[in-house]
Amino acid sequence: MLKKYLIIKNKFARKIFQISLIFFCINLISCNKADESEKKYSMAVQYYLTKDFQNSLLLIEQIKKNDSYYYLSLFLKAKILFFKNDYHSSYSLCKLILKKNQNFIEAQLLLIRNLIYLELFSEAERILKTEMQINSTDWRIYYLYSLLFKKKNLLDCQLEMLDKAESCIKKSQIIYDNYSSIWNQLELYDKAVEYQVKKNILINK
């Protein structure tokens, strides 16, 4: 009876081990795919920054729909298409991204920019008004408004929006400086540097 029990127990243990091994292999494959996806995306970004759009697009096409970097790569592709003056295709990709993630603000702003270049001014202004209600402190919204007014040849309105954009940037710089100062006082120097980097990125934009 004991022998029979031990045989059953060993069979059960082997079965559990086999199942665990299968799950481990699946997770390992998934991690490897994620790592590969991240590497391809990082390389695509590097090519994009050096304006090598062809190689960037080649890498983007290799990132599959179920990969973790798929929608980020789609957004990168949308930016490349915009800079290649293919506003229709860039707009379509932004719509696709926003259908998946409505809170992807960068995709929303690029979509508006495409609408302006496509001279769909009413639709661009409608979305800008909505974005303004959500976040009236984002300088990029005012900048897009200035771009819209430039296209409509409303120079006074363009200047007004550029002034507002500049004001938002200055306020953000002050906030980042204050954050950095507090972290320095607390001797959390890495955090202080982080906010100085954020400030510099803002200035360079």
Side-chain angles (χ1 to χ4, degrees):
M1 185 72 179
L2 179 61
K3 188 177 179 182
K4 187 177 180 182
Y5 168 75
L6 288 172
I7 290 169
I8 292 168
K9 189 177 179 182
N10 286 337
K11 281 183 179 179
F12 181 73
R14 278 199 299 271
K15 195 71 176 175
I16 292 295
F17 174 75
Q18 287 170 351
I19 292 167
S20 300
L21 188 62
I22 289 166
F23 276 108
F24 172 76
C25 291
I26 289 169
N27 286 332
L28 188 63
I29 291 166
S30 297
C31 288
N32 287 337
K33 281 186 176 179
D35 289 343
E36 189 180 339
S37 173
E38 184 179 0
K39 284 176 186 175
K40 284 177 181 175
Y41 176 72
S42 296
M43 286 176 66
V45 169
Q46 290 304 313
Y47 280 127
Y48 166 78
L49 292 173
T50 58
K51 293 185 169 54
D52 186 351
F53 295 152
Q54 185 177 355
N55 278 317
S56 185
L57 287 169
L58 284 172
L59 283 164
I60 288 167
E61 295 304 326
Q62 294 174 34
I63 299 172
K64 306 300 180 188
K65 192 170 184 178
N66 58 340
D67 287 344
S68 54
Y69 283 80
Y70 177 69
Y71 284 96
L72 279 175
S73 68
L74 276 190
F75 177 62
L76 184 59
K77 184 177 180 179
K79 288 201 287 186
I80 291 170
L81 291 171
F82 175 83
F83 287 117
K84 292 180 80 173
N85 303 325
D86 188 354
Y87 307 124
H88 281 287
S89 298
S90 180
Y91 170 80
S92 297
L93 276 180
C94 289
K95 288 280 283 183
L96 180 64
I97 294 162
L98 290 165
K99 193 178 286 187
K100 178 70 176 179
N101 183 1
Q102 293 180 343
N103 298 319
F104 198 151
I105 182 64
E106 285 78 11
Q108 183 76 297
L109 295 174
L110 182 58
L111 180 138
I112 295 166
R113 201 168 184 179
N114 278 302
L115 286 170
I116 292 168
Y117 277 84
L118 290 166
E119 298 189 354
L120 298 170
F121 300 140
S122 297
E123 180 64 9
E125 193 162 9
R126 183 188 68 78
I127 300 171
L128 276 169
K129 283 179 180 176
T130 303
E131 290 300 319
M132 182 81 79
Q133 290 170 356
I134 297 167
N135 186 5
S136 61
T137 60
D138 192 332
W139 67 270
R140 297 172 298 177
I141 294 169
Y142 295 107
Y143 171 73
L144 285 173
Y145 255 121
S146 77
L147 192 61
L148 173 65
F149 290 134
K150 180 184 177 182
K151 290 284 186 180
K152 294 172 80 171
N153 204 30
L154 298 170
L155 298 184
D156 288 344
C157 295
Q158 183 190 356
L159 284 170
E160 182 188 347
M161 289 300 165
L162 285 172
D163 285 342
K164 287 183 178 181
E166 185 182 29
S167 176
C168 287
I169 289 171
K170 284 178 179 176
K171 285 176 184 174
S172 296
Q173 287 176 34
I174 292 166
I175 290 166
Y176 289 150
D177 274 333
N178 287 337
Y179 265 122
S180 185
S181 176
I182 291 165
W183 293 127
N184 272 319
Q185 288 174 45
L186 294 170
E187 297 184 0
L188 294 170
Y189 302 118
D190 287 346
K191 293 291 288 182
V193 169
E194 180 187 332
Y195 277 89
Q196 281 301 315
V197 168
K198 285 182 178 181
K199 175 190 166 183
N200 292 334
I201 290 169
L202 189 66
I203 293 168
N204 291 330
K205 280 184 177 179

